[in-house]
Amino acid sequence: MMRTSTLFAVPALALGGLALTASPAMADSHEHDAWSVQTSLEELNGSGTSGDVMIEIHGQEATVTMNVTGAAEEFMDGPFPHAQHIHIGAQGVCPGPEADTDGDGVVSTLEGHHFYGDIGTSLTTEGDTSPDSGLAVDRFPGGAEYSYERTFELDDATLTSIEDGDAVIVVHGVDPELMPEEAAEKQSDLDPELPLAATLPAACGTLTASQMEEMPDGGADTGAPVQTESGTSLALGGGLLAMLALGGGAWAVRRRTVRA
């Protein structure tokens, strides 16, 4: 079985950019306060994916609650993994169709980078939350709809970006059947061993100050299991492991089978 850490070591750096140095001049106006930000996730690349995000912050401790629906459901009998991040350090907005500079009908991760920036925090289900885990697919939620809740420490760069209002949530992974044919046949701009669909941005939203004084108890009831730090992380079926091992070739086989 291929080691995920080996397969994704290089693309994780590409997706997250250079490691972000913690800022000693981070604003400390919220150091002792409880405050929150939120966003509504809007679909990108015709994915049909949407959702909502709430982050409650106490000092540098953050509780992130997400509810996502309409996402790519499965691949080879395994749940489709959805990498999800807080992106920082750019314009703090989601890209529009004009970001499609190569004219293939979709906005890839690198094409959108100018708008939402580097990974500040990887919203994994367990373990590391740094940019190094940007494509740790065995530690991200998966499936057509899911709820996510996790509490962890924010690094200085991400917290400053949230305070400045230019932090963006991006969820990745689009069903290739929903993509233009030219784009669906491409490999990822982060890793040529993966299909473009695996890393394509699916939903996006800029975090803004919340009017709610406190977080609701748990995530909204979507009917999907909550995938949390304390609960069972994303179960990798044999099919998903096969996707990691076979990369883009397996996706091509699936597309030919569906269209036959």
Side-chain angles (χ1 to χ4, degrees), residues 74-175:
E74 64 178 31
F75 178 77
M76 293 179 66
D77 299 322
F80 195 121
H82 295 289
Q84 50 184 25
H85 317 101
I86 304 176
H87 285 256
I88 64 176
Q91 300 179 41
V93 298
C94 299
E98 70 279 0
D100 174 21
T101 56
D102 64 4
D104 63 357
V106 297
V107 178
S108 70
T109 300
L110 294 186
E111 287 175 327
H113 178 269
H114 176 69
F115 296 87
Y116 47 67
D118 295 331
I119 294 175
T121 298
S122 299
L123 298 175
T124 53
T125 55
E126 62 183 0
D128 176 58
T129 60
S130 77
D132 291 340
S133 292
L135 281 176
V137 295
D138 56 332
R139 293 188 288 112
F140 284 115
E145 60 181 57
Y146 60 87
S147 293
Y148 169 91
E149 183 176 327
R150 187 177 180 189
T151 299
F152 54 87
E153 292 289 314
L154 289 170
D155 63 77
D156 288 355
T158 301
L159 182 56
T160 297
S161 186
I162 293 174
E163 290 178 329
D164 290 344
D166 59 13
V168 179
I169 300 287
V170 181
V171 175
H172 299 261
V174 177
D175 184 341

Side-chain angles (χ1 to χ4, degrees), residues 42-57:
E42 303 294 337
E43 73 169 9
L44 291 177
N45 294 313
S47 68
T49 305
S50 62
D52 57 80
V53 182
M54 177 76 75
I55 304 179
E56 185 184 32
I57 301 171

Side-chain angles (χ1 to χ4, degrees), residues 34-38 54-58 63 65 210-218:
W35 57 293
S36 60
V37 290
Q38 63 184 7
M54 177 76 75
I55 304 179
E56 185 184 32
I57 301 171
H58 296 267
T63 297
T65 303
S210 173
Q211 300 301 312
M212 298 178 65
E213 294 185 358
E214 60 182 11
M215 290 278 284
D217 292 333

